[in-house]
Amino acid sequence: MTEGQSPPDTALPTLEDVASRSGVSTATVSRCLNSPDRVSEETRKRVMAAVRDLGYAPNFGARTLAGKRTNTFGAIIPTMENAIFARGLQAFQEELHAHGVTLLVASSSYKPSVEEEQIRALVARGADALLLIGHDRTPESYAFLAKRQIPHLIAWAYDPALDRMSIGFDNRQAMKALALEVIDLGHRTIGFITAARDGNDRARGRYEGLCDAMRSRGLDPESLAIRETTYGIARGGEAFAELMALTPRPTAVVCGNDVLAVGAVKRAQQMGLRVPQDVSITGFDDIDIAEIVSPALTTVHVPHREMGRRAARALLDMRNGAGRGPNICLDATLKRRESLGPVPVA
């Protein structure tokens, strides 16, 4: 292979390939990967560009023997602050443990570039397979996984139009069902509190489901008052207060997850508003806090544990050579509780 050429598609790139592509020694490449502060910025950028272009991942010895398994799987979640991932990951880990597999978990903080780094790091440490949340990520991440032939699947989302294995649920249809309940109780002025939709197909699907419900009942989605915010009870409360300052004021506030909805309920009570007599509030996910808060939240029950168990079994099969299985769409069901009521009488 001449200098500057990529290795054949069938061969995994080596340290020497990266050195040749970037015009430095293998020792310099190692320093860039392990002690980047000891290398000039110009050199580091050149080496890391070669790493990305070649799909290189350092091997820490876990795969030095052909066919060697580490019995380690990785999972990358958007955040460790969001309780919605806890149940699913617990079931995922329990199923893996029963088969002698150890789980490594990383958090991307909803940053695609960080997730791309974590994918490479977990593969470099010998992860046999990866669990990923949602379909939105960089093309480079998918290309890297394909080149390294790492089994992976998508959870917490389902999109039959995409040619990737997923075990999840239809966020769009689940939110549409919930929103129809809201609208059919007479609500026409609706607010929506959501996580950022850019780069988050779950949040985007829930927004689209709400718009679908509005259109099906003759309402204009352009009339929807939207507040995007970060995860947290306090953030949900702040977004709710902003919606309540609008004219006309929403009679129902649909939230993209239960934590934001709990924040909305608490702020409503602080403002002297009764839920649902003065304003209805709904959540999504059906985590424990949805039942603990008073009034209990009307929400969408997500099958977290079943999703985690099935994802683990599918990845184990893929790791064992069974190939990619079928996409699986689990049922996400409406949970009607006390926070949703009829539109207030003027």
Side-chain angles (χ1 to χ4, degrees):
M1 181 172 57
T2 60
E3 182 175 346
Q5 285 186 325
S6 299
D9 290 342
T10 56
L12 293 180
T14 65
L15 193 73
E16 289 76 12
D17 295 326
V18 176
S20 176
R21 169 69 70 92
S22 54
V24 300
S25 67
T26 55
T28 299
V29 174
S30 293
R31 278 195 295 274
C32 285
L33 297 172
N34 300 308
S35 302
D37 56 317
R38 297 174 56 195
V39 182
S40 71
E41 183 177 359
E42 180 183 350
T43 298
R44 183 180 60 81
K45 286 182 177 179
R46 191 164 70 250
V47 170
M48 296 313 295
V51 167
R52 287 191 298 271
D53 292 345
L54 293 170
Y56 173 75
N59 191 320
F60 296 132
R63 298 181 182 274
T64 53
L65 296 178
K68 177 72 174 179
R69 291 177 180 170
T70 66
N71 281 326
T72 299
F73 282 16
I76 304 175
I77 61 177
T79 176
M80 293 186 183
E81 293 183 329
N82 194 331
I84 69 168
F85 300 114
R87 286 182 185 170
L89 279 181
Q90 180 64 28
F92 183 70
Q93 189 275 334
E94 289 170 0
E95 190 70 25
L96 293 181
H97 182 262
H99 291 82
V101 174
T102 298
L103 175 63
L104 299 178
V105 181
S107 169
S108 68
S109 299
Y110 290 96
K111 297 177 181 177
S113 61
V114 173
E115 187 191 49
E116 186 177 341
E117 292 174 5
Q118 291 167 334
I119 287 173
R120 293 174 181 275
L122 287 171
V123 170
R125 282 159 177 78
D128 293 331
L130 293 180
L131 175 72
L132 305 172
I133 307 301
H135 291 277
D136 283 2
R137 60 188 40 82
T138 65
E140 291 79 9
S141 294
Y142 284 119
F144 174 79
L145 290 169
K147 186 175 186 67
R148 305 293 298 195
Q149 298 183 327
I150 303 298
H152 60 281
L153 63 78
I154 308 302
W156 270 270
Y158 173 80
D159 188 342
L162 297 175
D163 186 27
R164 304 185 192 110
M165 185 177 180
S166 61
I167 297 179
F169 58 97
D170 192 325
N171 284 274
R172 184 169 185 164
Q173 288 302 316
M175 180 59 88
K176 180 180 179 180
L178 172 62
L180 286 174
E181 287 283 316
V182 173
I183 296 169
D184 289 346
L185 284 169
H187 296 280
R188 295 295 181 269
T189 307
I190 300 171
F192 183 46
I193 303 176
T194 177
R197 291 164 286 169
D198 185 30
N200 184 335
D201 56 350
R202 287 90 59 213
R204 200 164 56 249
R206 295 172 195 184
Y207 163 72
E208 291 165 350
L210 176 52
C211 292
D212 290 344
M214 294 180 71
R215 279 189 288 265
S216 73
R217 293 298 188 263
L219 303 179
D220 183 3
E222 292 295 322
S223 69
L224 183 65
I226 303 173
R227 291 296 182 274
E228 283 194 359
T229 187
T230 53
Y231 179 82
I233 290 176
R235 296 297 189 185
E238 292 165 3
F240 176 82
E242 292 177 8
L243 290 173
M244 290 299 101
L246 299 176
T247 303
R249 190 170 75 181
T251 62
V253 175
V254 175
C255 299
N257 63 57
D258 289 338
V259 171
L260 293 176
V262 167
V265 169
K266 303 308 289 184
R267 180 58 68 92
Q269 293 168 343
Q270 292 167 3
M271 296 171 65
L273 296 172
R274 300 168 300 162
V275 180
Q277 293 88 345
D278 298 321
V279 60
S280 288
I281 298 172
T282 64
F284 198 108
D285 290 319
D286 197 25
I287 59 177
D288 291 341
I289 199 172
E291 289 190 272
I292 294 172
V293 69
S294 181
L297 285 176
T298 290
T299 187
V300 171
H301 175 75
V302 172
H304 299 102
R305 291 191 61 83
E306 182 181 3
M307 186 165 48
R309 283 193 297 269
R310 290 205 186 194
R313 292 168 188 164
L315 280 177
L316 285 164
D317 288 343
M318 293 166 72
R319 191 277 307 266
N320 293 337
R324 198 183 88 173
N327 293 338
I328 297 174
C329 186
L330 303 174
D331 290 332
T333 54
L334 178 67
K335 287 291 183 182
R336 181 73 182 270
R337 299 194 181 102
E338 294 80 24
S339 70
L340 175 62
V343 64
V345 178

